[in-house]
Amino acid sequence: MRRTILSVNYECIFFYFVGCLVIYQSVMGDPRTQQVNVTCGRQLENNPTIFVPNFVATMENISEQMRTSGFGIAVTGSGPDINYGLAQCYGDLSLLDCVLCYAEARTVLPQCYPYNGGRIFLDGCFMRSENYSFFQEYKGPGDEIVCGNTTRKNSTFGESAKQALSTAVSSAPNNRGYARAQVTVPGTNESAYVLADCWRTLNASSCRACLETASASISKCLPWSEGRALYTGCFMRYSDRDFLNPVPRSGRSRGSVIVIVVSVVSALVVLGVAVTIGIYIWKRRYIQKKRRGSNDAHKLVKTLNDSSLNFKYSTLEKATGSFDDANKLGHGGFGSVYKGVLPDGREIAVKRLFFNNRHRAADFYNEVNMISSVEHKNLVRLLGCSCSGPESLLVYEFLPNKSLDRFIFDQNKGKALTWEKRYDIMVGTAEGLVYLHENSKIRIIHRDIKASNILLDSRFRAKIADFGLARSFQEDKSHISTAIAGTLGYMAPEYLAHGQLTEKADVYSFGVLLLEIVTGRQNNRSKTAEYTDSLVTLTWKKFQAGTVEELYDPNLMLHHHHYSNVKNDVFRVVQVGLLCTQEVPSLRPTTAKALQMLTTDEQLPAPTNPPFIDEKTMELNDTCEDPWYPLNAGLSASIATITHSSFHPR
């Protein structure tokens, strides 16, 4: 199995927001996202239709826990495709650094598919997934050590390393499984550094047993300068390099800290200066690494300051009645939206975001940067933003009919959407996507096309909203690989499994949307006592059987005494929806071609099967040539070197 490890693409440490500089005040640490080892299970998943959603749900559950505690366990499903998951950051990582490390781990673990288990050790965190409860395991046949062989040390260093290992082993079991140790090497200015971490599901005795065995094994790496023990229930590392993150000034963040310094006071002073200089150098390197993003931010700041896009926080607070719940329009993955009225009488929608982690901050910057560069009748218009108060706000045009999902998934409100209005919404959404994909200087992929992100104006015209997840890339790139983010039920299989992102991911989501508009059913909530398949699979089966009309929303017929007049049009939309949701990306049309299919009478090709129909699902053996778009000419080669993604559903 080929392995290509992605770097996490998050804006970190420094963010410039509309003239404001936000600096995280917590300890600037190293998330240590370097991969040490990945081990996949040997048992194949039983049913991909069940296994994949279970795995994604487990990752989603763990994600929420990791952001607050640096540790998470979850269980999803039952039977042979049940999924147990565990993730943990090592005790010296701050929560902010933990988020980054965990995100990187999630980009790698999906590479084990179609096997139903796997574990990954990074230098900053651990993650494991299985189809059985492994939470109490602390030893196993897969336990191993990894020795560094770049520098050979003398016996004096070896004795110091053993002393540090012994101290960590004795201290960690009664300290939530975490300990760190530093022992200076006599007669030198060197030290031996040790980190020990047991998974929090273990009791003290199991933790001690795991660390004792791991310590004995890792000692075999001496006299080499570095060693790691990768055990079923714990992780240990020693090094002649200070890889540990600084201790927070406020004290102990996750577990006690054990530091043994056999040295004089002057050595402590030198160490303090060294740590300070080290942090400074690290920050400078991080800034240089992110310089391109910072320059983009500066350009954005200048653009906003030179225009009328700035709003005072007090103005928006007053406009929304101090964010009164009575003015709340909705709540999503990126914050709450409120209706407001400006002093000049203009109605606005204000998106309110709280930056409690790096993701939210990056999303805010991304959305301002992305949407301020595009303008189209079928895209929600950004009026401005504000970060002068205690939180950052985005200001959009107000659309009185809110979002499409409020109508098509409600039998009563759905009566307001005639077939003609639904058709116009589909065409308008397609036109907006064509603009994003083809008419911009930089191609933009929205990544979260769904009914709740299609807003409706007073005449029920569609406008695409929520660009927090959008990504752009240059014309000379056939695809990009990125951490997964989106909504279950709308994400294309190649993107969900491997982070393979092209415009075809948006095409898949658009296809799901077409089927939802026609049926009035939500794809990721379609399982009922009557139907056990997803909407896409169900529609495919009914289409094959010639009974797809059974799924049509009854509201489509309320406004037509002669339903046969629009029957062919409805069926055509279903066929386009199935073409857009085909499993093989290259067989899906581009959005421009999908728009053409919707608006002309050209003959349509027969759709092939959607994802999760058979056991070959998501193997991505995409060798077909794209009949409509040259973008995918090289996609087969790209897919052959599989990239990996993280599951971060919203």
Side-chain angles (χ1 to χ4, degrees):
M1 186 175 294
R2 296 173 176 86
R3 298 176 180 177
T4 304
I5 307 306
L6 279 177
S7 297
V8 179
N9 185 21
Y10 293 124
E11 298 292 336
C12 320
I13 309 302
F14 296 91
F15 292 102
Y16 288 90
F17 293 125
V18 199
C20 305
L21 174 61
V22 178
I23 303 177
Y24 285 102
Q25 299 298 327
S26 61
V27 174
M28 298 294 187
D30 180 0
R32 297 201 302 269
T33 58
Q34 301 89 343
Q35 179 187 342
V36 181
N37 181 268
V38 177
T39 304
C40 297
R42 296 182 179 181
Q43 182 181 350
L44 292 172
E45 44 73 26
N46 180 63
N47 185 337
T49 307
I50 302 174
F51 172 79
V52 173
N54 284 353
F55 177 80
V56 174
T58 298
M59 296 303 101
E60 181 179 12
N61 191 334
I62 291 176
S63 293
E64 296 301 319
Q65 299 175 58
M66 293 294 283
R67 293 192 185 105
T68 57
S69 67
F71 168 78
I73 58 173
V75 183
T76 306
S78 60
D81 285 302
I82 191 171
N83 189 262
Y84 291 81
L86 179 149
Q88 180 171 322
C89 289
Y90 306 145
D92 67 316
L93 262 64
S94 68
L95 286 177
L96 292 175
D97 290 320
C98 181
V99 168
L100 288 181
C101 190
Y102 173 64
E104 180 71 3
R106 291 184 312 172
T107 68
V108 183
L109 196 59
Q111 74 179 15
C112 286
Y113 185 88
Y115 297 99
N116 63 6
R119 65 182 80 176
I120 173 173
F121 287 89
L122 299 184
D123 266 335
C125 57
F126 169 82
M127 186 175 183
R128 185 179 181 186
S129 174
E130 303 286 355
N131 73 331
Y132 71 92
S133 179
F134 58 88
F135 299 147
Q136 306 303 320
E137 293 181 1
Y138 63 89
K139 62 180 179 179
D143 295 345
E144 63 176 306
I145 59 172
V146 177
C147 302
N149 58 359
T150 56
T151 306
R152 190 178 180 90
K153 311 297 290 188
N154 58 31
S155 59
T156 308
F157 172 83
E159 291 303 316
S160 296
K162 290 179 180 179
Q163 183 182 351
L165 287 169
S166 176
T167 302
V169 170
S170 63
S171 303
N174 297 318
N175 187 45
R176 301 186 72 191
Y178 162 63
R180 57 191 281 166
Q182 174 190 345
V183 175
T184 57
V185 180
T188 72
N189 59 357
E190 289 188 324
S191 291
Y193 302 90
V194 167
L195 171 73
D197 243 299
C198 293
W199 316 146
R200 297 187 198 174
T201 50
L202 299 183
N203 58 32
S205 61
S206 296
C207 176
R208 180 174 289 103
C210 186
L211 291 178
E212 286 175 349
T213 308
S215 176
S217 298
I218 202 175
S219 296
K220 297 176 183 178
C221 287
L222 293 167
W224 298 114
S225 61
E226 191 158 79
R228 296 173 177 83
L230 315 179
Y231 272 54
T232 299
C234 59
F235 172 85
M236 289 196 79
R237 179 184 179 186
Y238 80 82
S239 178
D240 65 342
R241 179 176 59 87
D242 186 3
F243 62 89
L244 296 162
N245 281 309
V247 180
R249 293 180 181 178
S250 59
R252 294 171 282 188
S253 57
R254 288 201 302 274
S256 301
V257 178
I258 299 156
V259 180
I260 301 177
V261 182
V262 185
S263 181
V264 295
V265 175
S266 59
L268 290 175
V269 174
V270 172
L271 178 63
V273 173
V275 170
T276 303
I277 294 174
I279 294 175
Y280 173 77
I281 293 174
W282 185 85
K283 288 181 183 178
R284 288 294 300 270
R285 287 178 179 174
Y286 220 119
I287 292 172
Q288 290 172 1
K289 186 176 180 181
K290 298 296 181 181
R291 180 168 292 172
R292 181 177 179 182
S294 297
N295 288 337
D296 291 341
H298 280 304
K299 292 178 183 178
L300 174 62
V301 170
K302 187 176 186 306
T303 299
L304 293 170
N305 285 335
D306 292 345
S307 69
S308 58
L309 293 177
N310 276 322
F311 282 84
K312 291 183 178 179
Y313 180 85
S314 57
T315 299
L316 299 179
E317 185 179 35
K318 183 177 180 181
T320 58
S322 298
F323 301 103
D324 192 327
D325 282 344
N327 292 322
K328 191 173 182 178
L329 299 174
H331 183 84
F334 293 97
S336 301
V337 181
Y338 296 81
K339 179 182 179 181
V341 180
L342 294 174
D344 60 7
R346 280 186 297 165
E347 292 183 319
I348 57 174
V350 180
K351 181 185 285 190
R352 185 186 193 191
L353 296 137
F354 296 89
F355 300 126
N356 55 359
N357 60 51
R358 298 179 184 186
H359 300 289
R360 298 295 173 88
D363 293 331
F364 174 85
Y365 167 80
N366 188 68
E367 183 152 4
V368 174
N369 187 43
M370 193 72 66
I371 200 170
S372 63
S373 65
V374 297
E375 186 173 353
H376 187 270
K377 65 181 180 65
N378 293 112
L379 303 180
V380 172
R381 189 159 58 97
L382 177 71
L383 302 179
C385 47
S386 168
C387 71
S388 58
E391 53 197 308
S392 292
L393 308 171
L394 291 172
V395 184
Y396 293 97
E397 61 177 318
F398 174 71
L399 298 172
N401 282 315
K402 301 180 181 178
S403 54
L404 176 61
D405 62 311
R406 295 171 181 262
F407 290 89
I408 61 174
F409 302 138
D410 186 308
Q411 283 300 308
N412 290 323
K413 292 183 179 179
K415 297 174 183 177
L417 290 185
T418 63
W419 169 247
E420 288 78 9
K421 288 179 179 177
R422 295 186 191 217
Y423 176 77
D424 288 343
I425 289 169
M426 292 184 282
V427 170
T429 302
E431 290 176 345
L433 282 173
V434 170
Y435 172 80
L436 292 176
H437 291 178
E438 300 186 8
N439 294 342
S440 300
K441 293 180 181 179
I442 299 179
R443 288 153 47 195
I444 296 175
I445 301 177
H446 187 280
R447 288 209 300 175
D448 203 19
I449 294 298
K450 58 182 178 179
S452 60
N453 283 339
I454 306 301
L455 304 188
L456 305 173
D457 67 9
S458 58
R459 295 167 57 186
F460 290 96
R461 290 175 297 193
K463 291 179 181 285
I464 300 172
D466 204 339
F467 283 74
L469 297 181
R471 292 293 179 266
S472 62
F473 57 106
Q474 303 294 335
E475 287 292 342
D476 60 348
K477 301 292 184 183
S478 64
H479 74 282
I480 58 176
S481 299
T482 179
I484 280 189
T487 304
L488 291 179
Y490 298 88
M491 291 188 285
E494 74 280 0
Y495 177 48
L496 180 65
H498 302 292
Q500 200 85 51
L501 183 62
T502 69
E503 288 93 337
K504 296 302 180 75
D506 277 353
V507 172
Y508 183 91
S509 303
F510 178 66
V512 174
L513 181 66
L514 293 182
L515 299 181
E516 289 183 334
I517 292 175
V518 168
T519 64
R521 302 165 182 255
Q522 193 166 357
N523 186 46
N524 57 0
R525 292 184 183 176
S526 60
K527 295 184 179 182
T528 64
E530 183 181 2
Y531 301 115
T532 58
D533 291 319
S534 70
L535 174 61
V536 174
T537 300
L538 181 62
T539 305
W540 163 256
K541 290 180 177 179
K542 295 284 187 182
F543 181 85
Q544 292 291 91
T547 58
V548 73
E549 291 182 33
E550 295 176 4
L551 299 179
Y552 292 173
D553 187 342
N555 284 324
L556 295 181
M557 295 176 279
L558 293 179
H559 305 278
H560 296 279
H561 297 294
H562 302 288
Y563 173 64
S564 58
N565 294 341
V566 296
K567 181 178 179 180
N568 291 337
D569 293 336
V570 178
F571 183 81
R572 185 178 186 84
V573 169
V574 170
Q575 192 168 349
V576 174
L578 290 174
L579 287 168
C580 290
T581 54
Q582 294 176 103
E583 178 180 345
V584 179
S586 64
L587 294 181
R588 299 174 208 147
T590 62
T591 47
K593 185 63 180 179
L595 176 60
Q596 182 181 332
M597 291 175 171
L598 289 173
T599 55
T600 67
D601 294 327
E602 68 173 74
Q603 185 174 355
L604 302 181
T608 61
N609 65 278
F612 312 123
I613 292 298
D614 57 44
E615 290 297 319
K616 294 182 180 179
T617 292
M618 292 164 61
E619 289 183 1
L620 298 184
N621 296 318
D622 185 0
T623 57
C624 304
E625 293 185 0
D626 189 335
W628 295 308
Y629 195 39
L631 167 66
N632 289 67
L635 186 56
S636 297
S638 300
I639 290 176
T641 54
I642 296 176
T643 52
H644 316 297
S645 58
S646 68
F647 291 78
H648 183 54
R650 289 178 49 204

